[in-house]
């Protein structure tokens, strides 16, 4: 050490300065080497990672959701020190650069993302008022315009190009076109229709007056219609008016058609139903509804058999115990008609389909059980009942036509025993009712009932038969060539 001091003292001041500088530099180097080992964070760069893709393309007008970035220094999360430079304007197409930065001790570290905003969406055109406008003449059309909104250019209504072109004699098409700054084009159209004031032409097919005989099926030839705009609209012709082939008289069938413009035209055909004497003279048809019952119906059958009289039974649904009674009716030559699987008005008169299903359900059951196929029906309440109106307006008008079209005979009555009315009815009062309401010189169809509560009807039957025979009436059953009595439809 003494030797070093001696050498140092011999040096001049300049050399001493050089020696001190060298010693200081060496000390700094040694310190830095020590610091690198002891405090490595002082000199290490942060590890930065983008969340999401580095290259992103989005549509103009949408929200840009920046997923950001992560930064770590020696596994320590320093993401909260990241700050972003650059912005993305989604309303303006273009390329935008974003930098995610973290400041180090000596410099700033960053990772970059590129966001490209593209505009591929055409403007939205919204027509003012309706897409179809009707006017009397094209000069009356006043252009209502439209509103145009673009996701980048905003309101472009003033840039609309509007062109009107005639497509046929009564239709014009207005076309709206607009193109945004990115080249996206949108179009919309409006129809302007000249008001249709001309009704279709409708003509009868066949003769304007047709004559048929009683019970002869009316084969309606129909009508055809042509419209100046809609062309052949014969399929839209609607026929109304019921031709009752069982009631001689004059009937009118009206054919009506409407075009697309609401103009209506109609034409009529007269149908004459001529009387033919199919029924025996002074015929009396005894008919019984609502059965069969296990007690009253057999008594009625006994009385009929003892007097060699045949009648007609309009039956309702029955259980297996009644099948022998029904077979007896068939074997003894009586006619069985269908009154209905159900007798509930609200159920059967809910619609025309509901009624027909009710009829066919019982007819099919009867055929399966006995082999008998019924050809006639009786409406609960008769065809003139107005109660059905509470459940379906106009259903009876539909049904009289439908059952006839489906080759079913419906049978009403023009004389009643009044045994279905409330209160007690003695055998004598039932007889008097029948005597008062039957007449010689016409067809008489008498309404009676054979359910269990109608014992007095069974008791009165012998006296009714005695009266009929002594008064010159011919007792008959309803047959397929019988001309039935029909009442006037009220619904």
């Amino acid at each position: 050490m003494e030797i070093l001091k001696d050498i140092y003292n011999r040096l001049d001041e300049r050399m001493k300065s050089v020696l001190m500088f060298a010693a200081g530099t060496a000390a700094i180097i040694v310190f830095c080497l020590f610091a690198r080992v002891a405090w490595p964070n002082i000199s290490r760069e942060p590890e930065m990672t983008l969340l999401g893709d580095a290259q992103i393309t989005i549509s103009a007008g949408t929200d840009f959701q920046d997923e950001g970035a992560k930064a770590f220094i020696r596994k320590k999360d320093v993401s909260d020190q990241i700050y972003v430079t650059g912005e993305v304007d989604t309303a303006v197409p273009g390329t935008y650069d974003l930098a995610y930065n973290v400041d180090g001790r000596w410099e700033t570290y960053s990772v970059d993302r590129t966001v490209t905003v593209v505009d591929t969406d055409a403007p939205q055109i919204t027509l003012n008022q309706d897409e179809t406008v009707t006017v009397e003449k094209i000069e009356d059309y006043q252009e209502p315009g439209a509103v145009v909104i673009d996701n980048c250019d905003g309101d472009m209504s003033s840039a609309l190009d509007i062109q009107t072109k005639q497509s046929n004699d009564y239709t014009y098409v207005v076309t709206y076109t607009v193109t945004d700054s990115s080249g996206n084009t949108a179009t919309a159209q409006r129809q302007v229709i000249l008001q249709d004031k001309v009704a279709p032409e409708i003509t009868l097919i066949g003769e304007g007056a047709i004559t048929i005989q009683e019970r002869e099926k009316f084969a309606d030839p129909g009508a055809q219609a042509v419209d100046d705009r809609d062309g052949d609209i014969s399929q839209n012709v609607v026929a109304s008016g019921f031709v009752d082939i069982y009631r001689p008289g004059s009937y009118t069938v009206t054919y009506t058609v409407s075009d697309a413009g609401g103009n209506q035209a109609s034409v009529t055909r007269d149908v004459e139903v001529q009387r033919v004497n199919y029924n025996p003279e002074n015929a009396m048809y005894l008919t019984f509804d609502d059965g069969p019952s296990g007690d009253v119906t057999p008594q009625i059958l006994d009385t009929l058999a003892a007097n060699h009289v045949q009648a007609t039974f309009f039956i309702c649904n029955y259980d297996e115990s009644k099948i022998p009674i029904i077979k007896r009716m068939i074997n003894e030559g009586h006619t069985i008609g269908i009154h209905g699987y159900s007798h509930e008005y609200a159920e059967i008169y809910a619609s025309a389909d509901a009624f027909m299903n009710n009829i066919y359900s019982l007819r099919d059951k009867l055929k399966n059980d006995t082999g008998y196929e019924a050809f006639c029906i009786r409406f609960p309440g008769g065809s003139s009942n107005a109660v059905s109106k509470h459940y379906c307006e106009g259903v009876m008008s539909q049904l009289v036509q439908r059952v006839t079209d489906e080759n079913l005979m419906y049978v009403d009555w023009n004389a009643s025993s009044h045994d279905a009315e409330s209160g007690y009815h003695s055998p004598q009062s039932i007889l008097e009712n029948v005597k008062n309401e039957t007449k010689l010189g016409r067809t008489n169809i008498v309404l009676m009932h054979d359910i269990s509560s109608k014992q007095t009807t069974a008791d009165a039957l012998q006296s009714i038969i005695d009266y009929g025979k002594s008064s010159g009436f011919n007792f008959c059953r309803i047959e397929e060539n019988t001309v039935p009595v029909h009442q006037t439809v009220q619904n």
Side-chain angles (χ1 to χ4, degrees):
M1 182 64 72
E2 291 298 330
I3 295 174
L4 290 175
K5 287 183 180 180
D6 182 58
I7 294 172
Y8 177 77
N9 290 332
R10 292 181 182 180
L11 295 175
D12 58 22
E13 292 300 320
R14 182 178 178 184
M15 288 299 295
K16 287 181 180 179
S17 297
V18 171
L19 186 61
M20 290 299 292
F21 176 76
T25 300
I28 292 172
I29 291 171
V30 171
F31 175 78
C32 288
L33 290 172
F34 175 78
R36 186 175 182 87
V37 174
W39 302 291
N41 285 350
I42 294 177
S43 57
R44 179 163 293 184
E45 299 177 358
E47 296 179 3
M48 300 191 66
T49 305
L50 282 176
L51 297 179
D53 298 330
Q55 303 287 334
I56 296 177
T57 299
I58 63 172
S59 296
T62 60
D63 291 334
F64 170 58
Q65 301 292 333
D66 190 353
E67 296 185 62
K70 284 286 188 180
F72 294 87
I73 298 178
R74 288 202 70 201
K75 299 183 179 180
K76 180 182 178 182
D77 191 343
V78 293
S79 301
D80 57 348
Q81 299 178 25
I82 296 175
Y83 59 94
V84 183
T85 56
E87 293 182 351
V88 177
D89 187 351
T90 59
V92 180
T95 301
Y96 299 88
D97 294 320
L98 300 177
Y100 303 84
N101 309 292
V102 172
D103 291 332
R105 183 178 293 274
W106 311 111
E107 60 182 305
T108 298
Y109 301 92
S110 65
V111 289
D112 300 321
R113 190 195 313 274
T114 299
V115 180
T116 303
V117 178
V118 295
D119 181 14
T120 57
D121 296 328
Q124 295 292 318
I125 301 176
T126 303
L127 296 179
N128 295 329
Q129 300 183 16
D130 297 331
E131 293 183 358
T132 302
V133 177
T134 301
V135 295
E136 286 194 17
K137 53 184 182 296
I138 192 61
E139 290 78 14
D140 294 338
Y141 173 65
Q142 309 229 341
E143 175 57 53
V147 175
V148 182
I149 302 297
D150 185 69
N151 56 359
C152 292
D153 299 335
D155 190 340
M156 296 185 65
S157 304
S158 60
L160 262 179
D161 177 60
I162 304 176
Q163 299 292 330
T164 302
K165 183 178 179 181
Q166 186 172 6
S167 59
N168 55 47
D169 290 343
Y170 51 87
T171 305
Y172 290 78
V173 176
V174 183
T175 303
Y176 304 82
T177 307
V178 66
T179 302
D180 65 17
S181 58
S182 299
N184 302 303
T185 299
T187 61
Q189 290 186 329
R190 189 195 316 272
Q191 272 196 337
V192 181
I193 300 176
L194 301 185
Q195 188 174 358
D196 184 3
K197 293 185 175 181
V198 180
E201 293 184 4
I202 183 170
T203 56
L204 292 174
I205 299 173
E207 299 297 326
I210 295 177
T211 300
I212 62 174
Q213 305 296 310
E214 274 183 308
R215 300 190 72 257
E216 178 185 346
K217 185 175 178 61
F218 171 54
D220 190 349
Q224 56 191 6
V226 177
D227 186 66
D228 63 333
R229 297 192 183 187
D230 303 332
D232 188 347
I233 55 173
S234 301
Q235 72 278 5
N236 297 335
V237 174
V238 176
S240 60
F242 175 54
V243 177
D244 192 340
I245 61 175
Y246 299 109
R247 296 181 74 180
S250 298
Y251 299 88
T252 299
V253 180
T254 302
Y255 307 86
T256 306
V257 68
S258 297
D259 63 18
N263 301 298
Q264 191 176 88
S266 63
V267 67
T268 61
R269 169 179 280 120
D270 294 326
V271 180
E272 182 75 20
V273 178
Q274 293 183 338
R275 181 180 299 279
V276 177
N277 286 326
Y278 287 100
N279 298 347
E281 187 178 3
N282 300 321
M284 182 184 291
Y285 296 86
L286 301 179
T287 66
F288 299 89
D289 285 8
D290 298 348
S293 63
D295 45 7
V296 170
T297 304
Q299 295 178 56
I300 289 174
L301 289 173
D302 290 343
T303 302
L304 293 172
N307 290 274
H308 306 288
V309 170
Q310 292 177 326
T312 302
F313 294 84
F314 291 98
I315 66 172
C316 291
N317 188 29
Y318 54 87
D319 56 34
E320 289 189 7
S321 68
K322 306 302 189 303
I323 294 178
I325 299 175
I326 294 174
K327 288 183 176 180
R328 179 184 173 186
M329 293 177 184
I330 298 170
N331 293 335
E332 294 180 1
H334 303 292
T335 295
I336 299 179
I338 303 300
H339 204 34
Y341 198 92
S342 168
H343 202 284
E344 293 294 330
Y345 281 28
E347 178 182 335
I348 65 177
Y349 289 128
S351 68
D353 285 341
F355 181 84
M356 297 308 296
N357 289 336
N358 182 57
I359 290 296
Y360 285 134
S361 294
L362 185 56
R363 191 178 75 161
D364 293 344
K365 178 179 179 179
L366 177 64
K367 185 175 182 180
N368 290 335
D369 289 341
T370 67
Y372 186 92
E373 186 162 0
F375 62 87
C376 62
I377 72 164
R378 173 168 283 167
F379 295 109
S383 64
S384 64
N385 86 82
V387 180
S388 56
K389 187 179 297 186
H390 298 301
Y391 311 109
C392 182
E393 184 80 26
V395 70
M396 296 311 302
S397 296
Q398 299 174 46
L399 285 174
V400 294
Q401 181 72 63
R402 184 160 173 182
V403 297
T404 302
D405 290 344
E406 297 187 23
N407 295 317
L408 290 170
M409 177 195 297
Y410 74 90
V411 182
D412 287 319
W413 61 91
N414 59 357
S416 176
S417 66
H418 297 279
D419 63 350
E421 296 176 4
S422 60
Y424 173 75
H425 299 280
S426 68
Q428 185 61 36
S429 67
I430 291 174
L431 171 62
E432 291 302 319
N433 289 332
V434 173
K435 291 170 64 175
N436 290 335
E437 297 194 14
T438 53
K439 299 176 183 179
L440 292 172
R442 71 167 193 181
T443 294
N444 299 271
I445 297 183
V446 182
L447 173 65
M448 294 184 284
H449 296 79
D450 62 329
I451 55 176
S452 293
S453 60
K454 304 305 174 186
Q455 179 62 50
T456 56
T457 300
D459 295 340
L461 183 57
Q462 183 62 58
S463 59
I464 291 172
I465 294 174
D466 291 342
Y467 160 75
K469 286 184 176 182
S470 64
S471 300
F473 289 100
N474 293 310
F475 288 102
C476 307
R477 64 174 184 172
I478 301 293
E479 300 184 61
E480 292 190 63
N481 63 350
T482 300
V483 178
V485 167
H486 281 179
Q487 299 166 354
T488 301
V489 175
Q490 303 295 324
N491 177 29

